Structures are given as structure tokens and as C-alpha cells.
Amino acid sequence: MQKKIIEIAGGHVPARILMIANRLGLFKVLSSNSGAKALTVKEVSRRLKTDSGSMERLMNALVALGLLSKQNRRYRLAREAASYLTPDGSESLCDSITLYDTFWEVWGELDRMIRRGRPIMTMMDLIKKDRRILKNFIHGMRDRAAQAAHMISPHLDFKRARTVLDLGAGPGVYALEWVKTYPRISATVFDIPSVVPITRQYVRSYGLADRVKVKSGDFKRDPIGQGYDLILLANILQMYGPADCQRLLRKVYRALKPGGQAVIHGFMTDATGTRPREAAIFALTIGLVTPSGNAHSVPLTARWLKTAGFRDLRMFNIDVIPSSVMVARK
Ligand SMILES: C[S@@+](CC[C@H](N)C(=O)[O-])C[C@H]1O[C@@H](n2cnc3c(N)ncnc32)[C@H](O)[C@@H]1O
């Protein structure tokens, strides 16, 4: 336990090393040099305009963490980490790392948030402060969305489904992956006006504009359409408080065809609020940046679904964070 406590207390140290290396552009410089010979500290420092003595400490620490490798005073991305730390790579986690970096400042306010019981800075404040944060927030979600979409799909009834609505789609990757995989379905991806230009970029990059419609609006106020076979809420309920979630689930119910499926993917705790670990911690994270968001519990979410009229509730976990999925039928 002593070791565990010390590890938790110092958990910010490796996290900051990773975030700052990403922020400084170290991974970009090293990955753009891949194939060529590895770089010395001096070469890296010249390109990034940093102090070479401090840079050497940072790069050695990254070697110690297993993220870089070093041979004859030359550094490159470690083989196992390279695809994840190459900013433009298809498996890149660099946007996710930047998202953690964005939240760093907010975590510094945790004590104030707990004293006053409301966020110090909302997600909207963060986005207004720097427009790049919105882009980064959306791109940061892409990293695990494709994986999640493929882990969820075997549990869904895609034999009968033709029309899918991805509500609060962000990059729209779930719907895009499903439309790519199942040739008979078409999808609507729905998000707020400031996000849809980014969503459109994703639709174009998948080459699926003929089967994926992008719709802009506020799902709390605006119509979301009718007659869908499947409606996905991925990482949505956790952004809102109980009253908004209940209203939204009733709206989802009305927008589905009889027999249609509602799919909820996100952070949900058990009845005690303490498991799984990722969801218990997420409840704090979302409390820092939204007025009433939460990792609503599985029993509470199930109750909302039943009250909205849904039946045949099923719950399962996937091997990606967040891990909880709930499916229900109209
Ligand atoms: C946490 S992201 C999830 C994105 C995507 N579903 C995923 O899991 O990858 C939440 C998304 O919901 C969108 N959103 C939140 N409130 C919304 C609202 N009232 N109307 C439409 N979109 C909304 C946000 O703009 C954002 O893109």
C-alpha cells in the first residue's frame, strides 16, 4: 500500500512529461524523421528552439518511461510506441494527450470546485478561450471511437436496421464505421453548429457523404428527426444532469420506429458510485467542466430508459474506456 500511495501521489510526473513532450512538438520532430537516422539532443533542440540541457533530461526521462529509445546518443520513438505518438498516424493518440493537457489547468482547481460545488471553468469557457480546444476535443474523441464502434456492433441488431442516428456525434466515427461495415445502412450524424464543420471533414475523409447526412442543431431544443432504427448516444448523457437526460431519452424514444434500438455508451458507475474505477474518476472530471454532468449510475440510467417506455434492457462492457454500454428497444 505504501508504494501504491506514493505512485498515486506522483502520478502527475510521468503524465506531465508525456503532455509537455507532446506540446513542445518532440514527437512530431522524431516521427517526421522516422526512417532517417535518429536525432541527437542538439538537433532536436535546434528544431524546437529549446535548451539542450533541459531537453536532454526530458528525453532521457521519456526513454526511462519506454516511450523513446536511445542508442549512441541518438533518440527515436520507441518501436512499440511509435504508431501512437506519430501525430498524423492513423493510430495517433497525440490529440488525446493534448486533451489531457488542456484539462491540466482545470484539475488544479479541484479543491475550489469541491468547496463551491460547481465548476470553476466549463467546457464552453475552455473552448471560448482557445478555438483550437474545440478541434482538439473533437479529434481527441476519434482515437477510441472506431475501436468502440466495432466492439459494440456485434451486440446490435444490424440485420433489420437501415437508418442510424448518431446524436452528439462529434467526429461521427461510430456511425461512419458502421455505415462502412454494413452496406445497407445509412446514417444521420447530429451535432451543434460549431462542431459540424469538423464532422463534415470526417464524413468526407471516409468518402461516405452519399450515405451519411450531417445535421446541425441542439438536441435539447431542436427536432432530431423521426423513424430511425437505431439511435446512438455515445458519451452524451454524462455531459448533462438527470432532468436533461430524462428529457433526451423520451425524445429518443419518440424518434425511433417500434422495435428500434437505443444505444448508450459512456461512463456509468455501479449503484455505489465507486466502480468501475474509470467511471468513478470520470465523475470528478466531468464535474470540473460541466454544471451537472456525471457518470450516472447503471441503475439510474436503466430507470430513465424504462420510464421513457423502453423494454428489453441489456448491459455489457467493452474493452475500451469508457467501457459501459446499455441497449434498449422501443
Ligand atoms: C463527449 S462528445 C462525444 C462525441 C461522440 N459521440 C463520441 O463519443 O466520440 C459530446 C458531443 O456531443 C455534442 N453535444 C453536446 N450537447 C449537444 C446538444 N445539446 N446538441 C447537439 N450536440 C451536442 C458535443 O458538441 C460533442 O461533439
PDB file of all heavy atoms in Angstrom, residues 95 98-99 102 126-140 198:
ATOM      1  N   ASP A  95      -3.762  13.702 -30.120  1.00  0.00           N
ATOM      2  CA  ASP A  95      -4.871  14.605 -29.794  1.00  0.00           C
ATOM      3  C   ASP A  95      -5.435  14.291 -28.412  1.00  0.00           C
ATOM      4  O   ASP A  95      -5.837  15.196 -27.679  1.00  0.00           O
ATOM      5  CB  ASP A  95      -5.988  14.494 -30.848  1.00  0.00           C
ATOM      6  CG  ASP A  95      -5.590  15.141 -32.162  1.00  0.00           C
ATOM      7  OD1 ASP A  95      -4.890  16.167 -32.129  1.00  0.00           O
ATOM      8  OD2 ASP A  95      -5.974  14.619 -33.221  1.00  0.00           O
ATOM      9  N   THR A  98      -3.160  15.845 -25.941  1.00  0.00           N
ATOM     10  CA  THR A  98      -3.385  17.298 -25.868  1.00  0.00           C
ATOM     11  C   THR A  98      -4.642  17.604 -25.056  1.00  0.00           C
ATOM     12  O   THR A  98      -4.694  18.587 -24.315  1.00  0.00           O
ATOM     13  CB  THR A  98      -3.514  17.896 -27.291  1.00  0.00           C
ATOM     14  OG1 THR A  98      -2.366  17.517 -28.021  1.00  0.00           O
ATOM     15  CG2 THR A  98      -3.619  19.408 -27.259  1.00  0.00           C
ATOM     16  N   LEU A  99      -5.643  16.756 -25.189  1.00  0.00           N
ATOM     17  CA  LEU A  99      -6.879  16.953 -24.423  1.00  0.00           C
ATOM     18  C   LEU A  99      -6.594  16.869 -22.911  1.00  0.00           C
ATOM     19  O   LEU A  99      -7.076  17.682 -22.126  1.00  0.00           O
ATOM     20  CB  LEU A  99      -7.896  15.894 -24.855  1.00  0.00           C
ATOM     21  CG  LEU A  99      -9.348  16.151 -24.541  1.00  0.00           C
ATOM     22  CD1 LEU A  99      -9.807  17.473 -25.118  1.00  0.00           C
ATOM     23  CD2 LEU A  99     -10.216  15.030 -25.097  1.00  0.00           C
ATOM     24  N   THR A 102      -4.996  20.055 -21.893  1.00  0.00           N
ATOM     25  CA  THR A 102      -5.976  21.133 -21.776  1.00  0.00           C
ATOM     26  C   THR A 102      -6.648  21.095 -20.400  1.00  0.00           C
ATOM     27  O   THR A 102      -6.912  22.114 -19.785  1.00  0.00           O
ATOM     28  CB  THR A 102      -7.055  20.968 -22.870  1.00  0.00           C
ATOM     29  OG1 THR A 102      -6.408  20.991 -24.122  1.00  0.00           O
ATOM     30  CG2 THR A 102      -8.104  22.049 -22.808  1.00  0.00           C
ATOM     31  N   LEU A 126     -13.609  26.921 -21.721  1.00  0.00           N
ATOM     32  CA  LEU A 126     -12.328  26.444 -22.261  1.00  0.00           C
ATOM     33  C   LEU A 126     -12.288  26.648 -23.774  1.00  0.00           C
ATOM     34  O   LEU A 126     -11.296  27.107 -24.332  1.00  0.00           O
ATOM     35  CB  LEU A 126     -12.136  24.951 -21.960  1.00  0.00           C
ATOM     36  CG  LEU A 126     -11.660  24.575 -20.565  1.00  0.00           C
ATOM     37  CD1 LEU A 126     -11.797  23.085 -20.340  1.00  0.00           C
ATOM     38  CD2 LEU A 126     -10.217  25.003 -20.377  1.00  0.00           C
ATOM     39  N   ILE A 127     -13.409  26.314 -24.424  1.00  0.00           N
ATOM     40  CA  ILE A 127     -13.472  26.413 -25.887  1.00  0.00           C
ATOM     41  C   ILE A 127     -13.412  27.874 -26.330  1.00  0.00           C
ATOM     42  O   ILE A 127     -12.724  28.219 -27.288  1.00  0.00           O
ATOM     43  CB  ILE A 127     -14.743  25.695 -26.418  1.00  0.00           C
ATOM     44  CG1 ILE A 127     -14.552  24.191 -26.279  1.00  0.00           C
ATOM     45  CG2 ILE A 127     -15.034  26.059 -27.869  1.00  0.00           C
ATOM     46  CD1 ILE A 127     -15.813  23.379 -26.433  1.00  0.00           C
ATOM     47  N   LYS A 128     -14.114  28.747 -25.585  1.00  0.00           N
ATOM     48  CA  LYS A 128     -14.107  30.175 -25.955  1.00  0.00           C
ATOM     49  C   LYS A 128     -12.702  30.741 -25.811  1.00  0.00           C
ATOM     50  O   LYS A 128     -12.288  31.596 -26.576  1.00  0.00           O
ATOM     51  CB  LYS A 128     -15.081  30.938 -25.058  1.00  0.00           C
ATOM     52  CG  LYS A 128     -16.508  30.905 -25.604  1.00  0.00           C
ATOM     53  CD  LYS A 128     -17.414  31.850 -24.817  1.00  0.00           C
ATOM     54  CE  LYS A 128     -18.804  31.275 -24.717  1.00  0.00           C
ATOM     55  NZ  LYS A 128     -19.382  31.397 -23.382  1.00  0.00           N
ATOM     56  N   LYS A 129     -11.983  30.253 -24.808  1.00  0.00           N
ATOM     57  CA  LYS A 129     -10.631  30.758 -24.548  1.00  0.00           C
ATOM     58  C   LYS A 129      -9.700  30.463 -25.714  1.00  0.00           C
ATOM     59  O   LYS A 129      -8.834  31.238 -26.057  1.00  0.00           O
ATOM     60  CB  LYS A 129     -10.094  30.050 -23.287  1.00  0.00           C
ATOM     61  CG  LYS A 129      -9.352  30.976 -22.363  1.00  0.00           C
ATOM     62  CD  LYS A 129      -9.039  30.274 -21.074  1.00  0.00           C
ATOM     63  CE  LYS A 129      -7.650  29.686 -21.131  1.00  0.00           C
ATOM     64  NZ  LYS A 129      -7.228  28.984 -19.994  1.00  0.00           N
ATOM     65  N   ASP A 130      -9.893  29.323 -26.315  1.00  0.00           N
ATOM     66  CA  ASP A 130      -8.996  28.924 -27.395  1.00  0.00           C
ATOM     67  C   ASP A 130      -9.767  28.011 -28.353  1.00  0.00           C
ATOM     68  O   ASP A 130     -10.120  26.883 -27.999  1.00  0.00           O
ATOM     69  CB  ASP A 130      -7.789  28.180 -26.792  1.00  0.00           C
ATOM     70  CG  ASP A 130      -6.752  27.822 -27.835  1.00  0.00           C
ATOM     71  OD1 ASP A 130      -7.061  27.898 -29.037  1.00  0.00           O
ATOM     72  OD2 ASP A 130      -5.631  27.461 -27.446  1.00  0.00           O
ATOM     73  N   ARG A 131     -10.011  28.502 -29.569  1.00  0.00           N
ATOM     74  CA  ARG A 131     -10.813  27.734 -30.537  1.00  0.00           C
ATOM     75  C   ARG A 131     -10.157  26.392 -30.872  1.00  0.00           C
ATOM     76  O   ARG A 131     -10.825  25.449 -31.263  1.00  0.00           O
ATOM     77  CB  ARG A 131     -11.005  28.534 -31.833  1.00  0.00           C
ATOM     78  CG  ARG A 131     -11.873  29.751 -31.674  1.00  0.00           C
ATOM     79  CD  ARG A 131     -13.340  29.430 -31.503  1.00  0.00           C
ATOM     80  NE  ARG A 131     -13.894  28.653 -32.594  1.00  0.00           N
ATOM     81  CZ  ARG A 131     -15.061  28.031 -32.546  1.00  0.00           C
ATOM     82  NH1 ARG A 131     -15.781  28.081 -31.450  1.00  0.00           N
ATOM     83  NH2 ARG A 131     -15.512  27.342 -33.567  1.00  0.00           N
ATOM     84  N   ARG A 132      -8.824  26.326 -30.717  1.00  0.00           N
ATOM     85  CA  ARG A 132      -8.158  25.051 -31.047  1.00  0.00           C
ATOM     86  C   ARG A 132      -8.614  23.937 -30.117  1.00  0.00           C
ATOM     87  O   ARG A 132      -8.566  22.769 -30.446  1.00  0.00           O
ATOM     88  CB  ARG A 132      -6.638  25.207 -30.929  1.00  0.00           C
ATOM     89  CG  ARG A 132      -6.015  25.854 -32.154  1.00  0.00           C
ATOM     90  CD  ARG A 132      -4.581  26.135 -31.910  1.00  0.00           C
ATOM     91  NE  ARG A 132      -4.429  26.852 -30.626  1.00  0.00           N
ATOM     92  CZ  ARG A 132      -3.284  27.255 -30.121  1.00  0.00           C
ATOM     93  NH1 ARG A 132      -2.170  27.006 -30.752  1.00  0.00           N
ATOM     94  NH2 ARG A 132      -3.216  27.897 -28.962  1.00  0.00           N
ATOM     95  N   ILE A 133      -9.103  24.342 -28.916  1.00  0.00           N
ATOM     96  CA  ILE A 133      -9.521  23.323 -27.938  1.00  0.00           C
ATOM     97  C   ILE A 133     -10.718  22.535 -28.477  1.00  0.00           C
ATOM     98  O   ILE A 133     -10.810  21.326 -28.287  1.00  0.00           O
ATOM     99  CB  ILE A 133      -9.814  23.976 -26.574  1.00  0.00           C
ATOM    100  CG1 ILE A 133      -8.497  24.483 -25.989  1.00  0.00           C
ATOM    101  CG2 ILE A 133     -10.507  23.013 -25.619  1.00  0.00           C
ATOM    102  CD1 ILE A 133      -8.634  25.222 -24.684  1.00  0.00           C
ATOM    103  N   LEU A 134     -11.629  23.239 -29.172  1.00  0.00           N
ATOM    104  CA  LEU A 134     -12.793  22.546 -29.731  1.00  0.00           C
ATOM    105  C   LEU A 134     -12.334  21.471 -30.726  1.00  0.00           C
ATOM    106  O   LEU A 134     -12.737  20.308 -30.643  1.00  0.00           O
ATOM    107  CB  LEU A 134     -13.729  23.548 -30.417  1.00  0.00           C
ATOM    108  CG  LEU A 134     -14.922  22.919 -31.146  1.00  0.00           C
ATOM    109  CD1 LEU A 134     -15.865  22.255 -30.147  1.00  0.00           C
ATOM    110  CD2 LEU A 134     -15.697  23.942 -31.955  1.00  0.00           C
ATOM    111  N   LYS A 135     -11.455  21.900 -31.645  1.00  0.00           N
ATOM    112  CA  LYS A 135     -10.939  20.969 -32.654  1.00  0.00           C
ATOM    113  C   LYS A 135     -10.277  19.784 -31.972  1.00  0.00           C
ATOM    114  O   LYS A 135     -10.487  18.626 -32.311  1.00  0.00           O
ATOM    115  CB  LYS A 135      -9.881  21.672 -33.507  1.00  0.00           C
ATOM    116  CG  LYS A 135     -10.442  22.275 -34.752  1.00  0.00           C
ATOM    117  CD  LYS A 135      -9.318  22.562 -35.698  1.00  0.00           C
ATOM    118  CE  LYS A 135      -9.899  23.009 -37.013  1.00  0.00           C
ATOM    119  NZ  LYS A 135      -8.982  23.774 -37.783  1.00  0.00           N
ATOM    120  N   ASN A 136      -9.482  20.129 -30.966  1.00  0.00           N
ATOM    121  CA  ASN A 136      -8.738  19.085 -30.298  1.00  0.00           C
ATOM    122  C   ASN A 136      -9.638  18.138 -29.533  1.00  0.00           C
ATOM    123  O   ASN A 136      -9.425  16.920 -29.503  1.00  0.00           O
ATOM    124  CB  ASN A 136      -7.750  19.746 -29.356  1.00  0.00           C
ATOM    125  CG  ASN A 136      -6.725  18.766 -28.993  1.00  0.00           C
ATOM    126  OD1 ASN A 136      -6.851  18.186 -27.935  1.00  0.00           O
ATOM    127  ND2 ASN A 136      -5.804  18.512 -29.881  1.00  0.00           N
ATOM    128  N   PHE A 137     -10.687  18.702 -28.948  1.00  0.00           N
ATOM    129  CA  PHE A 137     -11.662  17.923 -28.194  1.00  0.00           C
ATOM    130  C   PHE A 137     -12.328  16.906 -29.134  1.00  0.00           C
ATOM    131  O   PHE A 137     -12.445  15.717 -28.814  1.00  0.00           O
ATOM    132  CB  PHE A 137     -12.684  18.904 -27.607  1.00  0.00           C
ATOM    133  CG  PHE A 137     -13.798  18.274 -26.828  1.00  0.00           C
ATOM    134  CD1 PHE A 137     -13.543  17.467 -25.737  1.00  0.00           C
ATOM    135  CD2 PHE A 137     -15.125  18.516 -27.161  1.00  0.00           C
ATOM    136  CE1 PHE A 137     -14.577  16.902 -25.015  1.00  0.00           C
ATOM    137  CE2 PHE A 137     -16.162  17.965 -26.445  1.00  0.00           C
ATOM    138  CZ  PHE A 137     -15.892  17.160 -25.367  1.00  0.00           C
ATOM    139  N   ILE A 138     -12.708  17.381 -30.328  1.00  0.00           N
ATOM    140  CA  ILE A 138     -13.385  16.509 -31.284  1.00  0.00           C
ATOM    141  C   ILE A 138     -12.411  15.459 -31.830  1.00  0.00           C
ATOM    142  O   ILE A 138     -12.709  14.262 -31.845  1.00  0.00           O
ATOM    143  CB  ILE A 138     -14.009  17.341 -32.438  1.00  0.00           C
ATOM    144  CG1 ILE A 138     -15.033  18.348 -31.879  1.00  0.00           C
ATOM    145  CG2 ILE A 138     -14.663  16.439 -33.485  1.00  0.00           C
ATOM    146  CD1 ILE A 138     -16.190  17.752 -31.118  1.00  0.00           C
ATOM    147  N   HIS A 139     -11.213  15.912 -32.233  1.00  0.00           N
ATOM    148  CA  HIS A 139     -10.246  14.941 -32.755  1.00  0.00           C
ATOM    149  C   HIS A 139      -9.827  13.949 -31.655  1.00  0.00           C
ATOM    150  O   HIS A 139      -9.603  12.780 -31.924  1.00  0.00           O
ATOM    151  CB  HIS A 139      -9.011  15.650 -33.306  1.00  0.00           C
ATOM    152  CG  HIS A 139      -9.295  16.452 -34.542  1.00  0.00           C
ATOM    153  ND1 HIS A 139     -10.035  15.961 -35.588  1.00  0.00           N
ATOM    154  CD2 HIS A 139      -8.951  17.707 -34.905  1.00  0.00           C
ATOM    155  CE1 HIS A 139     -10.137  16.890 -36.533  1.00  0.00           C
ATOM    156  NE2 HIS A 139      -9.493  17.960 -36.137  1.00  0.00           N
ATOM    157  N   GLY A 140      -9.753  14.454 -30.421  1.00  0.00           N
ATOM    158  CA  GLY A 140      -9.337  13.593 -29.303  1.00  0.00           C
ATOM    159  C   GLY A 140     -10.305  12.437 -29.090  1.00  0.00           C
ATOM    160  O   GLY A 140      -9.929  11.372 -28.614  1.00  0.00           O
ATOM    161  N   ILE A 198     -16.363  20.190 -38.526  1.00  0.00           N
ATOM    162  CA  ILE A 198     -15.347  19.148 -38.264  1.00  0.00           C
ATOM    163  C   ILE A 198     -15.947  17.778 -38.605  1.00  0.00           C
ATOM    164  O   ILE A 198     -15.297  16.930 -39.208  1.00  0.00           O
ATOM    165  CB  ILE A 198     -14.876  19.191 -36.789  1.00  0.00           C
ATOM    166  CG1 ILE A 198     -14.432  20.612 -36.414  1.00  0.00           C
ATOM    167  CG2 ILE A 198     -13.757  18.186 -36.549  1.00  0.00           C
ATOM    168  CD1 ILE A 198     -14.098  20.806 -34.938  1.00  0.00           C
TER     169      ILE A 198
END
